[in-house]
Structures are given as C-alpha cells and as structure tokens.
Amino acid sequence: MNVNMDAENRVVLNVGGIRHETYKATLKKIPATRLSRLTEALANYDPILNEYFFDRHPGVFGQVLNYYRTGKLHYPTDVCGPLFEEELEFWGLDSNQVEPCCWMTYTQHRDTQETLAVLDRLDLDTDKPSDEELARKFGFEDDYMSGNLSWWQRCKPKLWSLFDEPYSSNSAKIIGIVSVFFICISILSFCLKTHPDMRVPYIRNITVHTAGNRTAWTLDKKGTNAHAAFFWIECVCNAWFTFEILVRFISSPNKWQFIRASVNVIDYIATLSFYIDLILQKFASHLENADILEFFSIIRIMRLFKLTRHSSGLKILMQTFRASTKELTLLFFFLVLGIVIFASLVYYAERLQANPQNDFNSIPLGLWWALVTMTTVGYGDMTPKTYVGMLVGALCALAGVLTIALPVPVIVSNFAMYYSHTQARAKLPKKRRRVIPVETLRPPHHPGVPTGPPTGPVGGVPGARRVNAMKQNNPSSKDILSTPKMAMKKAWNRAQQDRQGGQNSAAAPKQQ
C-alpha cells in the first residue's frame, strides 16, 4: 500500500530527453511557478509513458529542480547568462534568487552586454554598409523600397560615407588619407613656426632724441614674426577643414547630433580660431600685449582628436578613460589628500631643527614638492634637509607609489576588455543565419475522430485522450496499458474504426 502511494506521489519530467523524477510535494514548495501547476490535462503530458515532456535546456533544469529540492539556486558555469535568464523566465522563477556565491559569475554577462552596447555606439565597423542600411540611417527607407529616391536622396548618403566613414570605400579611404595629411601638416606648422630659426626679425624704425635736442632714426630688431610660408600653409589647411566641415554638416543624417559631437566641436572651434586670429591681427595688432591673443590658437592642437575617426584604437582609448571616470576621480582625490597632508608635514618638519637652507618657506611651496614626489617625478629643486623632513619625504614617496598603482590595473583591464571585444566583433560574421520558430505539429482533423494536442512520443495520435480516460476510469485498463506498444496499437485501431464509421455515415445519404 505504501509503495503504491509513493508511486502516485512521484512525477516524471522529461526535459530535453533527460528524465527527472521527483515528488509532487517537492514541486509545490515554490508556488505560482510552471512546475507547481502540473496537471494531466496539459498538452505536454504523455499518458503512455506517464511523464511530462519539455523541450528545454536539460543542463539548466538540473539547477532548477535542485532549487525546488534545497531552496538554493546556483548558476551553472557552462551556460551563458542570457540563456540561464530565459530558462528561469520559462519556469517562472526569479533570477534575483541566485545565491551570493554565484552572483558575480552570473552577472558577468550583463557587463558584457553593456560593453557591446558601448561598442555599437562607437561605430567601429569598417565594412561598407549596404544601400538599404544607408537609406534606413537617413530615413529614406520608404522611398528606397518604393524606388522613388530623388537626386539628393541618392547623393546625400554617398557624401556622408565619403567624408565620415573612411573605410566604406576606396574613395573614402583617399579622402581620409587627405584629411589626416592636412591635420599632420597643420600641427607640424603650428609647432615649427615657434622655432627661432623659422622666424623672421620684425624690423621697425624708432625715433630717438640725441644731444643738442636733435632726433634720429634707428632700427629695432627685437621682435620676430613667423615666416610668411607658415601663413599660407595654414590658409590651405584651414580651407580644406572648412570645406570638410561644411560637406559633413550638409550631408549628416542628424544635424543636431552632428553639432553636439565632441570631435566636431573641437573641429569647428579650431577652424573658427584661425579666422578670429586673422581678424585680430588685422585690427588689434597695435594694442599692447596683443601677442597674448596667440595663446588661444593652441586650440588647433586639439585637432589631433580628429584622428579618432580614422583609428578604432584611439576610440577605444578614449572610451577607456570615459569608462574609468570613477577610478580616475578616486585617484585624483587621494592625490590631493596626500599632497595637502605631506606638504603640511614637511613644512613643520623642516622647522623643528636649525636649517639655514630651508627650501620650504610656506605650505604652498610644499604642495609643489609633494606633487612632484608623489608622482615619482622628483625634479630635485626642493629637498628636505633635516632627518624628520627626510622621513616625511620617504613616506610621501611610498604613499605616492601606492596611490597611483591601485587604480591603474582597473584602467588597464577596461582597455583590455574593450579591445578584446572589438577584436572578437571583427571576426564574427556580419550576417547570421535566421532561425525560424517551428510551430507544434498537430494531426489533421477528421470527422468523427476526436483529436487532442500532441502528447510526447504519441505525437498527436488520435484517440490518445481516450486512452487516458480508459486508464483513469476503467479498472481493467491496467492490464491493457501494461505494454505501451499494445496500448498504442489499440488506440490506433480504435481511431481507424471511428474514421471509417464517419466516412460510411457521410456516404449513406449519397447512396439514397
């Protein structure tokens, strides 16, 4: 009697071809889930084998069933995170119930998904986009599908690809090389025009008063100007930059997004500074301290960031610093904290003993020494002379090494993560094979033949529900169902008889 009761309380679950057996009471431990609501009326119940079939991942189900048994949900290390979440959602379980020992491993896929989303925004793909993708990007997909593209709609994506996507075609590569050439020439000219050998003396006549209340003229050669060739070089370079900005702005798919882009902001501010410099030289060169206006032309050096459009490595490097903002902020905070502390300590330490050659006359001077010492630069312009000051200097150097070394591995790991994902994306195929969802096959319906949903190995055999009813209601059905093959054969014969009976009843009125 106890054996029969134990058999009735057990349930067999066939998940992905692997059979699991447990008690019904075990599945009731977690209510409002798929397994807690199992009934023999479900479509995936097989009355012949007396089991429930689920076409799901069998490896994940082992952990799911263990969660019902022990109340602890662990993450299998041989399964991808999104797949594990999909399986838990199918079984009606909460993914936040994963044990703390597996939480870090389980949430790694979320960090990976965030990284892939960042790489998508960086637009690191170097393959030529298709015409349909370009039309979708510019909002012309309706006209493209109908074949009603205008002349400007056909030329605008081509201009954008030519000037903004250097790897889209051979012509775009040539435009990219020309752009890089002018950037390098502009930066080189900006640097070389400050060299003394590249400057021309500025000669001017000065009136001087001599003895006898007389005046004379003399030449002043103290000032120098850059050679005129640098001016013409900058004119040619800025003419190209102006043309490039205008073409990219006119052909951009999103004007507002183009204006807000940081690289574009640097580009048109640097170009605008050249024209402002020309105006100031024309109308403000006679003013005193007019040379200080040249300081603002240093913004042209920032054109080096335009190279990020042509190098995926520079994009990854910039994104690494952006992603490591918290670590860099923490590093800056600790540096400031250490600089203030050690500057104050060394100031008072050098005053404890007689020190006629004291370099630390104030704490602000000590701030410079602490900064140089903590960053391990050590110019040697300021050094402690007393023993207590030397001790403070040693502690300052050790604290600087530890402070700088702690956040560096995080920044390096971020760069390695972005770079490795970029290399992996470059090797993946751009187009994946589509997987078509297959609907559950159902048998054809015949008049007079009861059909039910597909049930396990029976595969939707007509009369399967009748066999189930015989098993539940007919006491003598146990002998009939003792052999699965015999039960299937009887069910099939019964279905064929019902089918023939339906056909005969339909043909009788025709004969009359």
Side-chain angles (χ1 to χ4, degrees), residues 466-503:
R466 184 176 289 106
V467 176
N468 189 15
M470 290 173 57
K471 176 184 175 183
Q472 293 178 354
N473 302 324
N474 191 0
S476 62
S477 62
K478 295 182 179 179
D479 297 334
I480 300 175
L481 298 176
S482 59
T483 304
K485 292 183 178 180
M486 184 182 298
M488 292 177 63
K489 184 176 180 181
K490 290 182 177 293
W492 180 255
N493 293 336
R494 184 65 178 271
Q496 293 295 332
Q497 293 175 3
D498 293 342
R499 179 182 178 184
Q500 293 177 0
Q503 293 178 352

Side-chain angles (χ1 to χ4, degrees), residues 167-403:
Y167 300 97
S168 59
S169 63
N170 292 330
S171 301
K173 291 180 181 179
I174 295 175
I175 296 295
I177 292 173
V178 173
S179 179
V180 172
F181 172 77
F182 279 111
I183 291 173
C184 295
I185 291 297
S186 176
I187 300 301
L188 187 62
S189 172
F190 180 80
C191 297
L192 288 180
K193 72 179 182 180
T194 60
H195 195 277
D197 296 338
M198 300 291 180
R199 299 183 70 86
V200 178
Y202 176 67
I203 301 175
R204 61 177 180 171
N205 293 327
I206 299 177
T207 303
V208 295
H209 296 279
T210 60
N213 199 15
R214 296 180 179 179
T215 59
W217 298 91
T218 184
L219 297 178
D220 182 20
K221 299 181 181 180
K222 292 183 179 179
T224 59
N225 290 332
H227 197 277
F230 292 109
F231 172 76
W232 296 110
I233 291 175
E234 288 188 355
C235 287
V236 174
C237 293
N238 282 274
W240 167 260
F241 295 142
T242 305
F243 171 74
E244 186 182 20
I245 290 174
L246 292 177
V247 172
R248 293 178 60 234
F249 176 76
I250 293 173
S251 62
S252 62
N254 191 330
K255 300 293 190 298
W256 178 241
Q257 186 177 0
F258 178 86
I259 294 175
R260 292 187 305 167
S262 57
V263 177
N264 296 332
V265 170
I266 293 173
D267 194 6
Y268 49 73
I269 289 180
T271 305
L272 188 63
S273 68
F274 171 76
Y275 297 105
I276 294 176
D277 194 16
L278 287 180
I279 296 174
L280 292 177
Q281 288 180 3
K282 181 72 174 178
F283 299 102
S285 59
H286 62 281
L287 300 177
E288 294 183 1
N289 299 325
D291 294 339
I292 199 173
L293 299 175
E294 294 183 359
F295 175 77
F296 295 100
S297 62
I298 198 172
I299 191 65
R300 301 174 198 173
I301 287 289
M302 306 300 289
R303 276 203 184 100
L304 288 172
F305 289 101
K306 288 182 62 178
L307 298 177
T308 56
R309 293 196 299 113
H310 307 276
S311 174
S312 60
L314 289 177
K315 289 183 180 179
I316 296 173
L317 182 61
M318 297 299 296
Q319 180 59 36
T320 300
F321 286 113
R322 190 179 293 113
S324 305
T325 304
K326 294 182 180 179
E327 289 77 15
L328 294 175
T329 304
L330 188 64
L331 173 62
F332 177 77
F333 173 76
F334 283 128
L335 276 178
V336 171
L337 185 64
I339 287 170
V340 174
I341 291 175
F342 287 107
S344 304
L345 289 177
V346 76
Y347 171 74
Y348 289 104
E350 289 294 288
R351 298 168 64 90
L352 293 177
Q353 299 178 8
N355 187 9
Q357 299 179 353
N358 186 11
D359 296 330
F360 302 90
N361 297 323
S362 63
I363 292 180
L365 290 176
L367 294 175
W368 166 253
W369 169 83
L371 174 63
V372 173
T373 304
M374 291 192 70
T375 55
T376 68
V377 177
Y379 288 117
D381 53 345
M382 299 175 63
T383 56
K385 304 297 189 304
T386 63
Y387 291 107
V388 181
M390 293 179 183
L391 178 61
V392 173
L395 295 177
C396 181
L398 292 176
V401 171
L402 294 177
T403 302

Side-chain angles (χ1 to χ4, degrees), residues 379-488:
Y379 288 117
D381 53 345
M382 299 175 63
T383 56
K385 304 297 189 304
T386 63
Y387 291 107
V388 181
M390 293 179 183
L391 178 61
V392 173
L395 295 177
C396 181
L398 292 176
V401 171
L402 294 177
T403 302
I404 295 176
L406 289 177
V408 169
V410 178
I411 300 174
V412 174
S413 64
N414 287 338
F415 180 80
M417 176 182 63
Y418 285 115
Y419 189 78
S420 60
H421 281 295
T422 303
Q423 296 298 319
R425 279 166 53 92
K427 297 178 181 178
L428 287 175
K430 300 303 178 183
K431 295 183 179 180
R432 301 294 187 90
R433 177 179 295 178
R434 295 181 59 187
V435 179
I436 302 175
V438 180
E439 297 181 357
T440 306
L441 298 178
R442 295 182 180 273
H445 178 71
H446 298 286
V449 181
T451 59
T455 55
V458 179
V461 175
R465 290 299 178 193
R466 184 176 289 106
V467 176
N468 189 15
M470 290 173 57
K471 176 184 175 183
Q472 293 178 354
N473 302 324
N474 191 0
S476 62
S477 62
K478 295 182 179 179
D479 297 334
I480 300 175
L481 298 176
S482 59
T483 304
K485 292 183 178 180
M486 184 182 298
M488 292 177 63

